[in-house]
Amino acid sequence: MRRTKWLALGMAMAPFAAQAETPDGAGEAMAAASIVVTGTGLALPPGTPAYGSVMIDRDRLEDAASGRIESVLADVAGFQQFRRSDSRASNPSNQGATLRALGGNASSRTLVLLDGVPVADPFFGYIPFSALVPDRLALVRVTRGGGSGAFGAGAVAGTIELASATRDQMPHVGASAFYGSRDATELSASIAPDLGSGYVSLSGRWDRGDGFQTTPKDQRVAATVPAAYDSWSTNVRAVAPIDATSEIQFRGTLFQDNRTLRFAGADSMSQGQEASIRYISRGRWQVDALAYLQARNFSNIVISSTSFRKSLDQRNTPSTGIGGKIELRPPVGEDHVLRIGVDTRFATGDMYEDAYNAGIASNPLTARRHAGGDQITSGIFAEDDWTIGNLVLTGGVRADRWSIRNGFYKAVSAAGTVTQDSSYANRSDWAFSGRAGALYHLSDAVALRGAAYSGFRLPTLNELYRPFVVFPITTQANADLKPEKLKGVEGGIDLTPASGVQLSATLFYNRLDDAIANVTIATNTRQRQNVNAIVAKGVELTASAQLPANFSLLASYAYSHSKVDAPGMAFDGFAPAQVPRHFASATLAWALKAGPELSATLRYTAKQYEDDLQSDVLPDALTLDALARLPIGHGISLVARGENLFDEDIVTRNAGGSIDLGTPRTLWIGVRFGQ
């Protein structure tokens, strides 16, 4: 009830804004007598390109064959989740996001922001991808490489910034309806009326499906079922002007996601309620002030793969995130953009679970477990961009005070006897990080850039206190985990050889010290441990081109030579778990203005290993997605979509030969309306 009251208060404050570049001339328009509301954040500093960001625009967001944001993010070679599954056929707690081949451990090493708000789950660190609907976004900016800068702590592998769609990008009324393979449906609707001098938008989406068989045919049993899913989300966002140069932005989101994986009864549920408020001033002293509240919950039932009875009921995992940020840009001259500010984030969460004896027909309760703790990170930062003719220099520093408190793990037998009651010592320390970069325009067609950075990430409450089982592997928690610390350098070149053609190449070297990994300590037993380091180096290539005859091309490739530096350990020199050497993605599209559209996306992921000892292989995979859109008038379009048209077998898990598969060929047909 206390949480409900807090959420009611937060939702009364409601939705907010984006971190997208202010259009040219917006500043002058703001200063005019008329009030102009944009719904965006402050303009990007001129040094931002020094860090080699990749932009995904709204057109691409609306044309994903799967309709899911994680598939769009795969356009950026090097983006990965812990598993190759999308949010329809993966346990939500597996959906950590990372970049730069730094290894997967289900928690996000990439800082994911929506309108400046970190979206990772406060307890697990996973990203609720099913609640991040592409149609609601204006753009995505992906910055590979660490360095927290003014974003906040946690960006050891990079930053993914999602910006909500602005008023001029949204239809006043919009809707879509799709029907797909295996009795899948996807429905969405939105309205975005003007409200005084501002606007409000309300949107909702519901999708469900009977799901596909994640289990290979030769491993199925009577209890095997398809990966059914049923999820919904609603979002309200409002932007209201205060005066000619400032505005208030609000956002509120509710979502719930239900999934069944592998066996009948193996059900998971994740849900969230969020509210945030943001104040933007584009006056002489520019201000970006943000406050947010998040409440999440997660439940999961584990079914034994031998008796097919319930072995674990992780029945309740409530968590709360509260935070905020204030950034100031004082007027220091036309050649400088100075950013100074503070930010903070508090996370707390509890895990309640019941263990059962699945080997007995009566399936008796054997233990009740309760674990949790608190974290808080507060930082102060300063960053400056200095323009000297064709040269832009950028640099920033951060100091963060972090603490991990009130950690505990308690287990009680079915008879009520306490079998473990552990309280862990509080810890706190300072973490200092920074980044610096340079961007030099040799000409209008050639720009050189270089950057160096450092960053850190606290272990999540899940990594610290919650053990888990994915048959036949038990992974133990570790309350003594230290923060991960990254140091990295990179250099690149950006080319514009012709109008509408952009090419980019980046060489990078990243070292993640005290990297958290799932380390094998006995047969079928792993533990989360800090290993000495993960070292990743490689090259990233991107290209975009507007071609003759209304064609366009987007392409991305990443080669990463990543290895674990763990002297004396069996996996020293091995590739980190879940990391392929090669990623590639290419999208070829054809479109007539206000006419039909066609696009096809080809993606390749090289083989990778399930575990730290490289004993279980996940083979490489080549997939083809496609989309066709035909406008028929009055704002209505017919749309056909196809996923994995080659029907490639995508192995997403291989634990000693126990295999899960990713999305097979999936076809969709539907209509979309917008006016």
Side-chain angles (χ1 to χ4, degrees), residues 253-265:
T253 301
L254 304 174
F255 68 87
Q256 182 165 315
D257 190 337
N258 300 282
R259 308 178 197 176
T260 299
L261 298 175
R262 199 172 177 91
F263 299 122

Side-chain angles (χ1 to χ4, degrees), residues 252-380:
T253 301
L254 304 174
F255 68 87
Q256 182 165 315
D257 190 337
N258 300 282
R259 308 178 197 176
T260 299
L261 298 175
R262 199 172 177 91
F263 299 122
D267 302 326
S268 68
M269 183 280 298
S270 61
Q271 64 179 201
Q273 305 90 35
E274 303 182 0
S276 58
I277 182 169
R278 192 180 193 183
Y279 168 74
I280 297 289
S281 174
R282 302 179 180 87
R284 188 165 180 268
W285 276 75
Q286 297 185 43
V287 180
D288 184 349
L290 167 69
Y292 61 87
L293 170 67
Q294 301 166 322
R296 303 279 181 84
N297 206 340
F298 173 80
S299 64
N300 183 56
I301 295 175
V302 178
I303 299 297
S304 167
S305 61
T306 54
S307 68
F308 311 110
R309 302 185 187 99
K310 180 167 57 177
S311 61
L312 183 70
D313 183 358
Q314 190 180 339
R315 53 187 172 82
N316 192 23
T317 315
S319 63
T320 303
I322 302 172
K325 168 186 169 180
I326 299 176
E327 177 185 323
L328 303 176
R329 297 188 184 182
V332 291
E334 294 183 356
D335 296 335
H336 288 269
V337 175
L338 176 64
R339 309 165 72 185
I340 56 175
V342 296
D343 55 57
T344 188
R345 177 172 173 81
F346 170 75
T348 183
D350 293 68
M351 176 275 292
Y352 299 87
E353 66 181 25
D354 299 335
Y356 293 83
N357 187 337
I360 299 176
S362 60
N363 205 192
L365 175 74
T366 59
R368 297 189 185 277
R369 302 165 187 153
H370 183 201
D374 305 328
Q375 290 180 334
I376 187 167
T377 305
S378 299
I380 182 171

Side-chain angles (χ1 to χ4, degrees), residues 131-152:
L132 303 174
V133 180
D135 290 353
R136 298 173 187 162
L137 302 176
L139 59 85
V140 177
R141 184 167 64 249
V142 180
T143 303
R144 294 175 286 199
S148 299
F151 302 122

Side-chain angles (χ1 to χ4, degrees), residues 96-137:
T98 193
L99 296 158
R100 283 272 163 89
L102 289 174
N105 66 349
S107 297
S108 294
R109 288 192 167 113
T110 297
L111 179 63
V112 182
L113 305 171
L114 174 57
D115 299 334
V117 176
V119 300
D121 184 86
F123 185 87
F124 291 95
Y126 69 81
I127 307 302
F129 285 114
S130 63
L132 303 174
V133 180
D135 290 353
R136 298 173 187 162
L137 302 176

Side-chain angles (χ1 to χ4, degrees), residues 34-161:
S34 61
I35 295 176
V36 178
V37 174
T38 68
T40 66
L42 297 178
L44 295 177
T48 299
Y51 301 104
S53 298
V54 178
M55 307 289 286
I56 302 173
D57 64 19
R58 182 167 173 81
D59 288 342
R60 176 59 184 145
L61 288 165
E62 290 184 309
D63 287 342
S66 69
R68 313 191 83 79
I69 188 65
E70 61 269 34
S71 298
V72 181
L73 291 172
D75 283 0
V76 181
F79 168 80
Q80 65 177 122
Q81 302 177 75
F82 179 60
R83 301 283 184 202
R84 294 174 173 179
S85 305
D86 66 26
S87 54
R88 292 166 294 189
S90 174
N91 190 290
S93 62
N94 284 336
Q95 293 181 192
T98 193
L99 296 158
R100 283 272 163 89
L102 289 174
N105 66 349
S107 297
S108 294
R109 288 192 167 113
T110 297
L111 179 63
V112 182
L113 305 171
L114 174 57
D115 299 334
V117 176
V119 300
D121 184 86
F123 185 87
F124 291 95
Y126 69 81
I127 307 302
F129 285 114
S130 63
L132 303 174
V133 180
D135 290 353
R136 298 173 187 162
L137 302 176
L139 59 85
V140 177
R141 184 167 64 249
V142 180
T143 303
R144 294 175 286 199
S148 299
F151 302 122
V156 294
T159 306
I160 298 174
E161 300 166 85

Side-chain angles (χ1 to χ4, degrees), residues 491-580:
I493 183 170
D494 299 324
L495 304 175
T496 310
S499 176
V501 178
Q502 295 180 320
L503 306 173
S504 177
T506 302
L507 295 172
F508 67 89
Y509 175 92
N510 284 183
R511 179 184 176 91
L512 185 66
D513 291 315
D514 294 322
I516 298 171
N518 296 334
V519 176
T520 299
I521 59 175
T523 301
N524 291 337
T525 303
R526 299 174 188 160
Q527 184 186 45
R528 299 185 183 99
Q529 294 184 4
N530 292 106
V531 301
N532 187 52
I534 292 175
V535 178
K537 53 189 176 183
V539 60
E540 298 159 344
L541 307 175
T542 60
S544 64
Q546 296 298 319
L547 304 173
N550 300 303
F551 282 94
S552 62
L553 174 68
L554 295 172
S556 182
Y557 168 75
Y559 168 78
S560 303
H561 188 279
S562 184
K563 67 178 184 179
V564 179
D565 179 21
M569 305 293 286
F571 50 85
D572 182 37
F574 286 8
Q578 308 293 333
V579 172

